[in-house]
Coordinates of all heavy atoms in Angstrom, one line a residue:
K201 N 23.8 -221.8 -196.7 CA 23.1 -220.5 -196.5 C 22.4 -220.0 -197.8 O 21.9 -218.9 -197.7 CB 24.2 -219.5 -196.0 CG 24.7 -219.8 -194.6 CD 25.5 -218.7 -194.1 CE 25.9 -219.1 -192.6 NZ 26.6 -218.0 -191.9
Q202 N 22.3 -220.7 -198.8 CA 21.5 -220.4 -199.9 C 21.8 -219.0 -200.5 O 20.8 -218.2 -200.7 CB 20.0 -220.6 -199.6 CG 19.6 -222.0 -199.3 CD 18.2 -222.1 -198.9 OE1 17.5 -221.2 -198.3 NE2 17.5 -223.2 -199.3
I203 N 23.0 -218.7 -200.7 CA 23.5 -217.4 -201.2 C 23.4 -217.5 -202.7 O 23.2 -218.4 -203.4 CB 24.9 -217.1 -200.8 CG1 25.9 -218.2 -201.3 CG2 25.1 -216.9 -199.3 CD1 27.3 -218.0 -201.0
H204 N 23.4 -216.2 -203.3 CA 23.5 -216.1 -204.7 C 24.6 -215.0 -205.0 O 24.6 -213.9 -204.3 CB 22.2 -215.4 -205.3 CG 22.2 -215.5 -206.8 ND1 21.7 -216.6 -207.6 CD2 22.7 -214.6 -207.7 CE1 21.8 -216.3 -208.9 NE2 22.4 -215.1 -209.0
V205 N 25.5 -215.3 -205.9 CA 26.8 -214.5 -206.1 C 26.5 -213.8 -207.4 O 26.3 -214.3 -208.5 CB 28.0 -215.4 -206.2 CG1 29.2 -214.6 -206.3 CG2 28.1 -216.3 -205.0
Y206 N 26.8 -212.4 -207.2 CA 26.9 -211.6 -208.5 C 28.3 -211.3 -208.8 O 29.1 -210.8 -208.0 CB 26.2 -210.3 -208.2 CG 24.7 -210.5 -208.1 CD1 24.0 -210.7 -206.9 CD2 23.9 -210.5 -209.2 CE1 22.7 -210.9 -206.8 CE2 22.5 -210.8 -209.1 CZ 21.9 -211.0 -207.9 OH 20.5 -211.2 -207.9
V207 N 28.8 -211.6 -210.1 CA 30.1 -211.6 -210.4 C 30.4 -210.5 -211.4 O 30.0 -210.5 -212.5 CB 30.5 -213.0 -211.1 CG1 32.0 -213.0 -211.5 CG2 30.2 -214.2 -210.2
D208 N 31.2 -209.5 -210.9 CA 31.7 -208.5 -211.8 C 32.6 -209.2 -212.9 O 33.5 -210.1 -212.5 CB 32.6 -207.5 -211.0 CG 31.7 -206.4 -210.5 OD1 30.5 -206.2 -210.7 OD2 32.3 -205.5 -209.6
E209 N 32.4 -208.9 -214.2 CA 33.3 -209.3 -215.1 C 34.8 -209.0 -214.9 O 35.7 -209.7 -215.3 CB 32.8 -209.0 -216.5 CG 32.9 -207.4 -216.7 CD 32.5 -206.9 -218.1 OE1 32.3 -207.7 -219.0 OE2 32.4 -205.7 -218.2
T210 N 34.9 -207.8 -214.5 CA 36.3 -207.2 -214.1 C 37.2 -206.9 -215.3 O 38.0 -207.7 -215.7 CB 37.1 -208.3 -213.1 OG1 36.1 -208.8 -212.1 CG2 38.1 -207.5 -212.4
R211 N 36.8 -205.9 -215.9 CA 37.6 -205.4 -216.9 C 39.0 -204.9 -216.4 O 39.0 -204.4 -215.4 CB 36.9 -204.3 -217.7 CG 35.9 -204.8 -218.7 CD 36.5 -205.3 -220.0 NE 37.2 -204.3 -220.7 CZ 38.2 -204.5 -221.4 NH1 38.8 -205.6 -221.4 NH2 38.8 -203.5 -222.2
P212 N 40.1 -204.8 -217.2 CA 40.1 -205.2 -218.6 C 40.4 -206.7 -218.9 O 40.4 -207.0 -220.1 CB 41.2 -204.4 -219.2 CG 42.2 -204.2 -218.0 CD 41.3 -204.2 -216.8
L213 N 40.8 -207.5 -217.9 CA 41.2 -208.8 -218.2 C 40.2 -209.9 -217.9 O 40.4 -211.1 -218.0 CB 42.5 -209.2 -217.5 CG 43.7 -208.3 -217.9 CD1 44.9 -208.5 -217.2 CD2 44.0 -208.7 -219.5
L214 N 39.0 -209.5 -217.4 CA 37.9 -210.4 -217.3 C 38.1 -211.6 -216.4 O 37.7 -212.8 -216.6 CB 37.4 -210.9 -218.7 CG 37.2 -209.8 -219.7 CD1 36.9 -210.4 -221.1 CD2 35.9 -208.9 -219.4
Q215 N 38.8 -211.3 -215.3 CA 39.0 -212.4 -214.3 C 37.8 -212.9 -213.7 O 37.7 -214.1 -213.3 CB 39.9 -212.0 -213.2 CG 41.4 -211.7 -213.7 CD 41.7 -210.3 -214.0 OE1 40.8 -209.5 -214.4 NE2 42.9 -209.6 -213.8
G216 N 36.8 -212.0 -213.5 CA 35.6 -212.5 -212.9 C 34.8 -213.3 -213.9 O 34.3 -214.4 -213.6
G217 N 34.7 -212.8 -215.2 CA 34.0 -213.5 -216.2 C 34.6 -214.8 -216.6 O 33.8 -215.7 -216.9
R218 N 35.9 -214.9 -216.6 CA 36.5 -216.1 -217.0 C 36.8 -217.2 -215.9 O 36.7 -218.3 -216.0 CB 37.9 -215.8 -217.7 CG 37.8 -215.0 -219.0 CD 39.1 -214.8 -219.7 NE 40.0 -214.1 -218.9 CZ 41.1 -214.7 -218.3 NH1 41.3 -216.0 -218.4 NH2 41.9 -214.0 -217.5
L219 N 37.3 -216.6 -214.7 CA 37.8 -217.4 -213.6 C 36.9 -217.6 -212.6 O 36.7 -218.8 -212.1 CB 39.1 -216.8 -213.2 CG 40.2 -216.5 -214.2 CD1 41.4 -215.7 -213.6 CD2 40.6 -217.7 -215.0

Side-chain angles (χ1 to χ4, degrees):
K201 293 194 173 181
Q202 297 181 324
I203 59 174
H204 189 95
V205 185
Y206 291 92
V207 182
D208 274 351
E209 62 178 352
T210 318
R211 281 285 294 143
L213 294 174
L214 305 172
Q215 293 97 329
R218 295 186 301 105
L219 307 178

